[in-house]
Amino acid sequence: MQLHRPVLLEEVVELLKSRDGGIYVDCTVGLGGHSEKILTVAAPEGSVIGIEIDAESLALAEKNLSRFGKHFIKVRNNYKKLPGILDSLGIDAVDGILVDLGMSSYHVTQSSRGFSFQIDGPLDMRFDTDQEETAEKLVNELPEENLQRILEEYGEEKFGGKIARLIVARRREKRIERTSELSRIVLEACGQRRSKIHPATKTFQALRIAVNRELEGLSDFIRRAIERLKKGGRMAIISYHSLEDRIVKMSFRDLSSSCICPPALPVCGCGRETLVRLITRKPILPSRKELLENPRARSARLRVVERL
């Protein structure tokens, strides 16, 4: 099976300083694209711990990476539980951590998963199919003001109020159950705007983030994960929209700073430790060549830090 085309692949492997014998964590392994390259560079003794909450994706990753044998360690779990995962494996510290916060092409093309407004399917949007909350449940049961908040906060949708009102009006007539139904409602609410992106893009993004609670605990995870890096080990995070990138940027900046005491204090009282140094002061963006080959990479932003 062809692997999902990983974003910023060469840049990730180079900046993680992948090497023979290193232990790396791919926190969102997906179908294994990044892990495959890391394992190839880190051969013959290097290992990747591949974490994935989606059982279908993890099974495909295991198949795609089967030639690496014991050097690929699969873990079905939420990547935000990384410290506990490492403890369960008896691993104190690792050489590199990668987090790709994007949604894979596999999810987009599976109509049964309900991630895409371009393919009709049930309004699901769960990465973890064992959880109860779905996009269909949110769309049909949340109060209008809560829907508006989700659309405006997670989707940065300026028509959030109009969309939320129309969703509530339509669900009074009939429960909204399909991606095509929701897409038509969004189009009706805000019209066919002249834009590079489909009018439903932000609504679907917002609901996906809300269903999977993607931003909750991200900043706390970053700190706890960095504490499990070896000295000189690196963490690379790829984000795809401004909300994620802002959290990553501020978390990295905060952890690379030392004293946070007010300037008026004559002596430092916080005792703050600088944990990392910034490797990328500005995010690395996909090259023009990569964008031509993979347009879905257009919003990717890569930031990297190194453990001190």
Side-chain angles (χ1 to χ4, degrees), residues 73 75 80 90 98 160 210 222 227 237 256 286:
I73 304 163
V75 177
K80 292 174 185 173
L98 168 65
I222 290 172
E227 290 173 347
I237 302 182
S256 67

Side-chain angles (χ1 to χ4, degrees), residues 101-103 115 125-127 135 203-214 240-241 244:
L101 295 170
M103 179 175 58
F115 284 101
M125 300 193 193
R126 294 173 298 171
F127 290 133
T203 295
F204 274 68
Q205 171 188 296
L207 287 170
R208 190 201 80 222
I209 290 172
V211 167
N212 297 289
R213 302 181 179 183
E214 294 177 32
Y240 293 83
H241 56 78
E244 290 174 338

Side-chain angles (χ1 to χ4, degrees), residues 30-223:
L31 302 190
H34 285 110
S35 288
E36 190 273 341
K37 184 68 174 181
I38 294 170
L39 284 164
T40 300
V41 173
E45 296 300 326
S47 298
V48 167
I49 301 161
I51 304 171
E52 177 59 57
I53 194 65
D54 185 332
E56 292 180 8
S57 294
L58 187 58
L60 290 170
E62 183 180 26
K63 181 179 179 181
N64 290 330
L65 302 173
S66 60
R67 71 182 185 278
F68 296 103
K70 66 180 181 180
H71 296 287
F72 175 67
I73 304 163
K74 69 168 186 173
V75 177
R76 188 188 177 202
N77 210 327
N78 188 317
Y79 72 86
K80 292 174 185 173
K81 297 179 180 179
L82 177 61
I85 292 170
L86 293 179
D87 288 343
S88 70
L89 295 172
I91 296 173
D92 181 56
V94 298
D95 296 278
I97 299 172
L98 168 65
V99 188
D100 184 341
L101 295 170
M103 179 175 58
S104 76
S105 301
Y106 173 76
H107 287 123
V108 174
T109 57
Q110 298 298 304
S111 62
S112 63
R113 304 300 294 273
F115 284 101
S116 176
F117 51 80
Q118 297 176 318
I119 305 172
D120 184 45
L123 265 177
D124 193 320
M125 300 193 193
R126 294 173 298 171
F127 290 133
D128 180 2
T129 53
D130 290 338
Q131 77 175 46
E132 293 185 7
E133 193 164 80
T134 64
E136 191 257 0
K137 184 176 178 65
L138 296 186
V139 165
N140 288 284
E141 299 178 15
L142 282 182
E144 181 182 322
E145 58 269 26
N146 290 27
L147 277 173
Q148 180 176 346
R149 180 189 60 79
I150 285 172
L151 297 178
E152 292 177 345
E153 183 177 338
Y154 294 159
E156 298 177 298
E157 175 57 81
K158 63 180 180 179
F159 296 105
K162 292 180 66 176
I163 295 169
R165 280 194 298 276
L166 192 56
I167 286 173
V168 171
R170 290 289 178 268
R171 77 190 191 190
R172 290 196 189 105
E173 304 166 3
K174 173 189 175 297
R175 194 170 179 89
I176 302 164
E177 299 177 333
R178 310 289 296 181
T179 56
S180 57
E181 294 176 274
L182 180 59
S183 181
R184 285 195 296 270
I185 290 170
V186 176
L187 284 171
E188 184 180 347
C190 53
Q192 185 70 54
R193 296 171 297 194
R194 298 187 68 179
S195 173
K196 292 181 180 180
I197 66 171
H198 190 281
T201 301
K202 293 181 177 181
T203 295
F204 274 68
Q205 171 188 296
L207 287 170
R208 190 201 80 222
I209 290 172
V211 167
N212 297 289
R213 302 181 179 183
E214 294 177 32
L215 302 182
E216 291 183 20
L218 180 56
S219 181
D220 182 56
F221 157 76
I222 290 172
R223 181 181 183 89

Side-chain angles (χ1 to χ4, degrees), residues 227-244:
E227 290 173 347
R228 301 305 291 263
L229 281 172
K230 296 177 182 177
K231 184 176 181 179
R234 292 185 174 185
M235 182 178 202
I237 302 182
I238 306 173
S239 57
Y240 293 83
H241 56 78
S242 60
L243 296 174
E244 290 174 338

Side-chain angles (χ1 to χ4, degrees), residues 6-23:
V7 173
L8 293 163
L9 179 60
E10 299 300 329
E11 293 87 344
V12 164
V13 174
E14 178 182 351
L15 288 169
L16 277 182
K17 300 194 298 185
S18 305
R19 59 175 179 79
D20 180 15
I23 302 174

